[in-house]
Amino acid sequence: MAFLGSAARRVALAVQPPLSPLCRISARSYSSEQTTEKSVPYKKTLKQEDGASSGPTKPLPRSADVVVIGGGSLGCQTIYHLAKMGLTNAVLLERDRLTAGTTWHTAGLLWQLRPSDVEVELLAHTRNVISKDLEQETGLHTGWIQNGGLFIASNKQRLDEYKRLMSLGKVYGIESHVLSPAETKDLYPLMNVDDLYGTLYVPKDGTMDPAGTCTTLSRAASARGATVIENCPVTGIKVRTDDLGVKRVKAVETPHGTIETPCVVNCAGVWATKLGEMAGVKVPLIAMHHAYVVTERIEGIQNMPNVRDHDASVYLRLQGDALSVGGYEQNPIFWDEVSDKFAFSLFDLDWDVFMQHIEGAINRVPNLEQTGIKSTVCGPESFTADHKPLMGEAPEVRGFFLGCGFNSAGMMLGGGCGRELAHWIIHGRPEKDMYGYDIRRFHNSLTDNKRWIRERSHESYAKNYSVVFPFDEPLASRNMRKDPFHQVLTEQGCVFQERHGWERPGWFNKDGPAPVKDYDYYGAYDIKKNVNYKYNELLGKEYTFDFPPHHDMIKSECLSCRHDVAVFDMSYFGKFYLTGPDAKKAADWLFTADVNKKPGHHNSGTEGDIVTIVPAICDAYYLAIGGGVAEHNWNHIRTVLQDQGFRCQLTDHSEDMGMISIQGPKSREVLQEVLDTDLSNESFPFSTHKVVSAAGHQVRAMRLSFVGELGWELHIPKDSCLPVYHAVMAAGAKHGIINSGYRAIDSLSIEKGYRHWHADLRPDDTPLEAGLAFTCKLKSSIPFQGRDRLEKQKEEGLRRRIVCFTIDEKVPMFGLEAIFRNGVPVGHLRRADYGFFIDKTIGYGYIRNPDGGVVSADFIKSGEFTLERMGVTYKAKAHLKSPFDPENKRVKGIYA
């Protein structure tokens, strides 16, 4: 019998020849020697004992409203929720038996707390389905075990992260407790607590059984009229092109017949990329080996909670009277040659890769050193570039939906995501804000870039258990999209952020350039690790939940903008033209604001950070859209144009133009020297634009502000960007002009009360709830998308609304802090930052009335509010208007 401790020593002593970089896929080591069995630890799987396939388990229908492909967690949850929502002419096709791909060997853990409000809600729904709903509907037990969860903190930063989760959990009624090392020992006597800082205990976390869950979901869906067919692989997806040139799903082909359908849901897990290729759809995920080992019996382990020791990158899952031990390493093995024949199959375990988890597990539970290994489980899992799933309608083909790439979390997120996916299919959009999972969050130039998918997926896997800090940035696949100002700003010390593939300015370091280097895979696969990496060092210094060390530099950028003048490079914005005979009709329908203004005026909308410009030609609109959501908005607009049959075109000029914003009290003096037009309030009022000459180059100048100051944006043809920038900086030198980045924009904008999509304003918020009624043309008779809902909401009163809060204590907040009114939780902050001009921490969050009533101005004024940050409560002041320049004088150029 192998013991965990002796296995660790044996591998440590073995001298293995180094593998070439990224080629560990072929490694097969030791499993036959060191384990008695290689199988999953579940009493029941759905594998056919004789291994024979007797053809489809049911006859194929000729047509269906929806065909779900893949019988794992996501496929079963999606077909169940489709049927539950009334769409019963739905079919699930599984090439082998349910769970045969990756679901059957999953660890099945469910943790209720995550650093995302949406994910907390998704997990809560999964828990309800698994622990309650299915049993009530079918009388069958899914295998749910509520044994609790224990998060281990070996340092203050980790415990601070857990305290943030605890505060957010209070808003959702999730019980959790921060325990001392001694209290942890009382709860889990076998645990070594000598090196602990503390733990977070969540009593109602638990464990799911994949076979029991998927079988019960299948029966519940079938009982409601859906059809589940096993032993039926998909061989092709037919796509048709309609009269407008739009590609749409037509049918699903199998060896046993064809099903006509307008809608396919790709829940094929590791095989999702191949399925996407059948329809010409890009599915940016990659397969990797993911492993755990199952121990022999451990005396005293029964009924213990599941454990996540993030700092050791290991989890310990209770398995009856044993433990499953797994984790996430920095050198995972890629599975490049994905096999279609891989069903209920496992790889041999590479102990060289896995041993780091054994060492962490033995440190946490010393009894493991003398505990035998019963079996090893090493199977494929799919991983994505940001460790988030891929969901929603694919941009390439209408009716082709994604529900894949779940990064080993398909069981725990399956219920919530299955419901949202079903709602998406039936109603055209999810109920919750699923932007973070929407395939449209990735720019189309990235989704088939092999280097980007591989590097970013590796980094996301390797950092899966890292603390989630507010200002972290990826190191993988950087410099994919660079604007014309990139080099000159790098030379001036710009510390860039990555958004949508773009490098955008974050803040400016006064100690010289800090360029981003090529990805080094954190030194894995014998790749030489980057040394003297200034950018990474600056990033590491910000790994804190206190004020970051560069707080004063960002303060300097903000106050220079408030008192003098600053220039912001905003070139990563999406820049689209909407043209054609129906452009005006389309703009009326798409945007809540009134676009029926004479050329030269512009309006803001709320589906994204959109500024709609009416150029000096008929039937044409210029759209400038926040770069982080440009792809989402591009696809949203294009989809609406298709669905409504508008005769117009949307063209993308984002790469053809740069964009700088010059903001501050002295911006007019600076730009008057550069532009050939009168910039007075009379000649160039707020919310207007002109095509002008700047240092001999034609640019589009717009008078608007994202920071609450007098200022202009210059939209500049690519080849003219640097000459115009240098002219602006030269003219501004005597006025103290400086470069500023998006960290300053975030602070300045929240101080002014401007909304950020997708933080203060999301798809599940209405403009009325967000305090943006002024952007809606409700006083006109012009129809627009969502008008009926807004009119009804205005008549009935708001059940939730956004509120501004400030606190007097000098402590940082970042969002997710709990909001209490008279001691009762009523919401949480969506976004928070420090306002340097008002010298206070400021946050925005949506609050509800606990009684379900209207959230009126009196409800806000009459309450005593507190904000909870990492378990500590701070008295807060609620504001109905922005505490900075509430009369909007500064954007009009009126300074005291």
Side-chain angles (χ1 to χ4, degrees):
M1 178 187 294
F3 293 95
L4 292 186
S6 59
R9 285 190 291 274
R10 199 151 53 232
V11 173
L13 292 171
V15 178
Q16 297 292 327
L19 292 171
S20 59
L22 308 186
C23 292
R24 303 195 70 121
I25 178 173
S26 60
R28 294 287 186 271
S29 306
Y30 310 117
S31 64
S32 59
E33 264 180 48
Q34 299 202 7
T35 63
T36 57
E37 184 184 0
K38 188 175 69 176
S39 63
V40 297
Y42 299 106
K43 293 179 181 178
K44 176 187 175 187
T45 70
L46 303 179
K47 183 177 181 180
Q48 292 171 293
E49 291 306 318
D50 58 5
S53 171
S54 55
T57 54
K58 293 177 185 174
L60 269 67
R62 298 185 63 177
S63 65
D65 292 331
V66 179
V67 175
V68 179
I69 303 173
S73 171
L74 255 295
C76 291
Q77 289 279 9
T78 302
I79 195 81
Y80 164 74
H81 281 93
L82 283 168
K84 196 167 185 178
M85 291 181 189
L87 198 157
T88 56
N89 186 23
V91 176
L92 183 149
L93 298 178
E94 164 54 44
R95 64 189 173 92
D96 196 275
R97 307 293 291 188
L98 296 183
T99 75
T102 62
T103 298
W104 78 288
H105 60 71
T106 182
L109 297 162
L110 191 146
W111 318 95
Q112 295 177 90
L113 293 177
R114 303 267 276 219
S116 159
D117 56 342
V118 174
E119 289 192 354
V120 168
E121 294 171 12
L122 295 173
L123 291 165
H125 183 69
T126 299
R127 189 182 178 284
N128 286 338
V129 169
I130 302 300
S131 66
K132 184 178 60 177
D133 294 353
L134 284 173
E135 192 164 348
Q136 290 176 353
E137 290 181 38
T138 66
L140 301 172
H141 183 51
T142 62
W144 165 255
I145 299 170
Q146 182 179 296
N147 59 311
L150 192 62
F151 287 6
I152 306 298
S154 302
N155 55 65
K156 179 181 182 298
Q157 290 176 334
R158 184 68 75 179
L159 193 61
D160 284 347
E161 181 184 38
Y162 296 161
K163 288 177 179 177
R164 277 172 56 78
L165 297 180
M166 178 184 69
S167 292
L168 178 63
K170 291 180 182 179
V171 178
Y172 289 99
I174 297 172
E175 180 187 356
S176 66
H177 309 275
V178 172
L179 305 181
S180 68
E183 292 170 323
T184 303
K185 186 74 172 178
D186 289 341
L187 176 68
Y188 202 122
L190 296 183
M191 183 172 289
N192 167 33
V193 300
D194 293 345
D195 59 347
L196 292 194
Y197 208 85
T199 58
L200 179 68
Y201 175 49
V202 188
K204 294 182 181 177
D205 286 353
T207 314
M208 297 169 287
D209 174 74
T213 297
C214 290
T215 299
T216 311
L217 287 166
S218 170
R219 291 191 184 181
S222 298
R224 292 177 180 271
T227 304
V228 177
I229 304 174
E230 298 173 88
N231 294 335
C232 187
V234 171
T235 55
I237 296 174
K238 286 185 178 179
V239 175
R240 66 181 177 87
T241 303
D242 68 15
D243 295 341
L244 296 174
V246 179
K247 291 182 177 180
R248 299 181 182 275
V249 169
K250 182 182 180 183
V252 173
E253 298 174 314
T254 81
H256 311 288
T258 297
I259 304 175
E260 299 285 330
T261 183
C263 181
V264 161
V265 191
N266 183 350
C267 296
V270 162
W271 296 268
T273 300
K274 287 190 173 185
L275 187 65
E277 289 171 355
M278 294 179 186
V281 169
K282 297 180 288 188
V283 183
L285 58 78
I286 198 163
M288 300 185 201
H289 293 203
H290 186 61
Y292 60 88
V293 300
V294 185
T295 72
E296 297 285 358
R297 185 176 185 277
I298 303 171
E299 185 61 39
I301 205 72
Q302 294 88 344
N303 302 317
M304 289 296 102
N306 301 317
V307 174
R308 281 180 92 167
D309 190 341
H310 290 91
D311 295 311
S313 197
V314 68
Y315 62 80
L316 308 173
R317 175 204 193 271
L318 185 68
Q319 197 73 50
D321 57 2
L323 288 177
S324 296
V325 179
Y328 293 84
E329 57 279 347
Q330 292 198 345
N331 57 337
I333 300 171
F334 293 93
W335 191 30
D336 290 322
E337 301 300 326
V338 176
S339 168
D340 292 337
K341 306 299 182 184
F342 203 90
F344 292 108
S345 302
L346 294 171
F347 306 114
D348 288 340
L349 181 66
D350 185 330
W351 284 93
D352 282 346
V353 173
F354 192 77
M355 277 327 298
Q356 54 196 291
H357 306 312
I358 296 295
E359 292 159 7
I362 290 173
N363 174 63
R364 189 54 55 221
V365 181
N367 285 31
L368 288 174
E369 186 163 19
Q370 297 302 317
T371 300
I373 301 171
K374 183 179 180 182
S375 67
T376 66
V377 179
C378 182
E381 292 280 5
S382 56
F383 294 90
T384 64
D386 57 0
H387 219 70
K388 303 290 184 188
L390 307 176
M391 293 180 63
E393 191 173 30
E396 299 91 348
V397 178
R398 299 298 305 275
F400 191 102
F401 283 80
L402 301 177
C404 51
F406 273 78
N407 306 277
S408 294
M411 282 295 293
M412 73 170 102
L413 288 171
C417 288
R419 180 176 66 173
E420 294 305 310
L421 199 48
H423 196 279
W424 218 325
I425 292 162
I426 294 170
H427 300 288
R429 61 185 300 161
E431 275 191 302
K432 299 188 187 304
D433 167 37
M434 299 298 288
Y435 172 73
Y437 291 8
D438 193 332
I439 183 62
R440 298 174 296 175
R441 70 189 184 273
F442 296 133
H443 190 259
N444 62 77
S445 66
L446 301 176
T447 49
D448 62 351
N449 185 307
K450 296 290 192 291
R451 175 196 153 203
W452 175 79
I453 296 169
R454 193 178 192 90
E455 288 188 0
R456 288 294 287 271
S457 298
H458 171 270
E459 184 176 34
S460 294
Y461 182 101
K463 292 182 69 174
N464 183 38
Y465 276 6
S466 297
V467 177
V468 180
F469 289 110
F471 302 117
D472 199 9
E473 294 291 330
L475 297 175
S477 285
R478 295 293 296 267
N479 297 318
M480 302 295 284
R481 304 174 78 193
K482 296 187 287 189
D483 66 47
F485 307 103
H486 182 268
Q487 184 58 36
V488 69
L489 296 183
T490 298
E491 292 167 0
Q492 295 179 70
C494 184
V495 180
F496 285 94
Q497 301 172 330
E498 189 277 340
R499 298 293 184 275
H500 216 50
W502 284 106
E503 298 293 316
R504 77 172 192 183
W507 57 282
F508 285 81
N509 171 45
K510 296 181 180 175
D511 296 328
V516 180
K517 298 184 179 183
D518 287 343
Y519 187 51
D520 61 4
Y521 283 85
Y522 293 88
Y525 315 113
D526 298 323
I527 295 173
K528 188 177 180 181
K529 197 168 185 179
N530 286 321
V531 294
N532 301 318
Y533 194 178
K534 192 171 182 179
Y535 180 86
N536 194 21
E537 292 168 8
L538 290 171
L539 209 57
K541 290 177 181 177
E542 297 213 277
Y543 288 171
T544 176
F545 292 109
D546 295 322
F547 288 118
H550 317 300
H551 189 64
D552 288 340
M553 295 186 193
I554 296 161
K555 175 182 179 180
S556 174
E557 293 180 23
C558 290
L559 293 183
S560 290
C561 180
R562 290 281 185 243
H563 296 303
D564 299 306
V565 60
V567 58
F568 300 90
D569 172 19
M570 304 175 74
S571 300
Y572 93 120
F573 261 48
K575 307 165 198 79
F576 308 150
Y577 279 95
L578 180 64
T579 59
D582 286 345
K584 179 185 175 300
K585 190 186 298 184
D588 279 337
W589 181 252
L590 278 162
F591 308 125
T592 63
D594 187 358
V595 297
N596 296 298
K597 293 184 177 181
K598 65 181 180 180
H601 286 73
H602 65 256
N603 299 282
S604 295
T606 57
E607 171 61 27
D609 290 332
I610 298 178
V611 180
T612 309
I613 310 299
V614 187
I617 57 174
C618 297
D619 300 326
Y621 295 82
Y622 174 59
L623 313 177
I625 299 175
V629 295
E631 185 76 9
H632 175 274
N633 280 275
W634 167 271
N635 284 289
H636 169 75
I637 294 168
R638 197 179 61 163
T639 297
V640 171
L641 298 181
Q642 294 169 1
D643 290 347
Q644 298 297 319
F646 292 128
R647 296 169 299 152
C648 47
Q649 296 78 43
L650 189 65
T651 54
D652 186 355
H653 293 271
S654 303
E655 309 278 352
D656 305 332
M657 301 168 67
M659 175 179 163
I660 56 175
S661 182
I662 299 90
Q663 300 286 325
K666 297 179 182 177
S667 60
R668 180 183 277 133
E669 297 170 64
V670 173
L671 289 175
Q672 195 63 78
E673 292 186 34
V674 180
L675 306 182
D676 69 343
T677 190
D678 182 358
L679 300 181
S680 66
N681 284 336
E682 294 73 26
S683 296
F684 208 141
F686 183 72
S687 193
T688 63
H689 77 95
K690 295 179 182 179
V691 176
V692 300
S693 177
H697 298 265
Q698 193 175 71
V699 304
R700 185 183 300 279
M702 307 180 190
R703 186 172 165 192
L704 52 83
S705 178
F706 280 86
V707 297
E709 297 294 337
L710 173 69
W712 281 261
E713 285 179 2
L714 303 182
H715 294 239
I716 314 166
K718 191 175 184 178
D719 293 340
S720 300
C721 283
L722 286 179
V724 171
Y725 170 78
H726 288 308
V728 169
M729 297 307 284
K734 60 179 173 287
H735 299 289
I737 196 169
I738 67 163
N739 291 299
S740 293
Y742 268 83
R743 291 279 287 278
I745 289 180
D746 288 343
S747 168
L748 294 163
S749 64
I750 199 171
E751 192 172 50
K752 180 66 184 88
Y754 290 154
R755 309 290 187 258
H756 274 203
W757 206 96
H758 134 273
D760 314 304
L761 181 62
R762 308 191 309 201
D764 52 343
D765 306 317
T766 72
L768 302 187
E769 294 167 346
L772 296 173
F774 65 92
T775 69
C776 303
K777 46 183 177 261
L778 291 173
K779 293 181 181 177
S780 76
S781 59
I782 301 170
F784 59 87
Q785 195 171 27
R787 177 169 186 139
D788 292 348
R789 181 184 174 192
L790 291 184
E791 289 177 335
K792 182 180 180 183
Q793 191 174 50
K794 185 177 180 181
E795 182 182 339
E796 294 176 351
L798 299 176
R799 272 12 187 219
R800 62 195 287 270
R801 64 188 288 178
I802 200 166
V803 177
C804 171
F805 297 95
T806 56
I807 62 170
D808 291 331
E809 287 88 348
K810 297 292 190 291
V811 294
M813 293 187 178
F814 307 105
L816 300 184
E817 290 81 7
I819 303 168
F820 293 83
R821 180 184 180 274
N822 299 342
V824 178
V826 292
H828 65 275
L829 295 185
R830 287 275 191 86
R831 183 164 72 107
D833 212 319
Y834 199 82
F836 292 101
F837 191 86
I838 66 172
D839 199 25
K840 292 180 186 294
T841 292
I842 185 168
Y844 279 82
Y846 286 80
I847 67 170
R848 295 180 180 273
N849 187 330
D851 298 332
V854 171
V855 180
S856 63
D858 286 342
F859 177 83
I860 297 167
K861 290 176 183 176
S862 63
E864 290 191 4
F865 288 92
T866 55
L867 303 178
E868 182 175 310
R869 171 190 181 270
M870 297 191 299
V872 180
T873 299
Y874 299 90
K875 188 174 181 180
K877 181 176 180 181
H879 304 264
L880 293 174
K881 283 188 174 183
S882 165
F884 171 79
D885 190 25
E887 296 177 358
N888 287 324
K889 290 183 176 180
R890 297 170 76 98
V891 295
K892 300 170 187 172
I894 303 170
Y895 289 89

